[in-house]
Amino acid sequence: MTTNDTTAAPARLDYARTAPKVFRAMIALDAAAREGLDPALVELVQMRTSQLNGCAYCLDMHAKDARKAGETDERIYLLPVWREAPAGVYSESERAALALAEEIARIDGGVSDPVYARAAEHFGEAELAQLISACFTINAWNRINVATRKTPGTL
């Protein structure tokens, strides 16, 4: 097994049990970040970020939640290639949110002015703040779950 290969690797620890105060704070942060945002948009952003961060646990959970929120299989399957998806699969505001989420996940270059401006065209200031919050919250969840090797499909 290489250092990046976690195939069949056991979970390392139960984060919720071993860091309950932090876990509860993360739950509260996640709930606060979602306020005022379209639940389906939040799920798309969380799935795309989880894809980029290699978090199987979050990707599995948010794909299931997206289906419950009414997302179609087509939109879920095309998410990794949302830029190449046919017109109409994702709205312009969803495309702006996904571009912003990707740049927040890949923070090495920061969030570019064009991507930020495009998001600001589609979301008011308060909604944009919530969207940014949803993006950094899923990044934190991804890092927790990747570090602890949280198993997809478990609680």
Side-chain angles (χ1 to χ4, degrees):
M1 177 187 303
T2 65
T3 55
N4 291 333
D5 183 6
T6 59
T7 305
R12 291 180 169 149
L13 60 85
D14 180 345
Y15 191 82
R17 184 180 54 77
T18 56
K21 289 173 99 175
V22 178
F23 185 78
R24 285 191 304 273
M26 284 294 300
I27 294 289
L29 178 62
D30 188 71
R34 291 168 174 266
E35 287 182 15
L37 293 175
D38 173 28
L41 176 67
V42 172
E43 297 306 332
L44 289 173
V45 163
Q46 292 183 329
M47 283 187 300
R48 183 64 186 134
T49 301
S50 299
Q51 290 168 346
L52 295 173
N53 290 331
C55 185
Y57 177 84
C58 289
L59 182 57
D60 175 66
M61 180 177 72
H62 292 294
K64 290 172 182 171
D65 289 347
R67 282 191 178 95
K68 289 177 191 170
E71 278 300 337
T72 65
D73 287 343
E74 177 186 34
R75 285 169 46 93
I76 291 171
Y77 298 152
L78 290 175
L79 191 57
V81 291
W82 64 268
R83 284 183 178 84
E84 292 78 23
V89 173
Y90 301 103
S91 71
E92 287 305 312
S93 62
E94 289 169 336
R95 290 174 178 274
L98 290 168
L100 181 66
E102 286 184 356
E103 289 201 1
I104 290 172
R106 296 176 176 143
I107 199 67
D108 59 336
V111 174
S112 67
D113 290 338
V115 165
Y116 187 88
R118 182 177 177 199
E121 287 175 19
H122 293 278
F123 301 96
E125 194 171 80
E127 196 174 24
L128 183 56
Q130 292 301 116
L131 180 58
I132 291 168
S133 299
C135 290
F136 70 67
T137 302
I138 190 58
N139 275 282
W141 279 123
N142 289 164
R143 282 151 178 78
I144 291 166
N145 292 324
V146 168
T148 62
R149 292 188 182 146
K150 182 100 170 138
T151 304
T154 62
L155 294 178

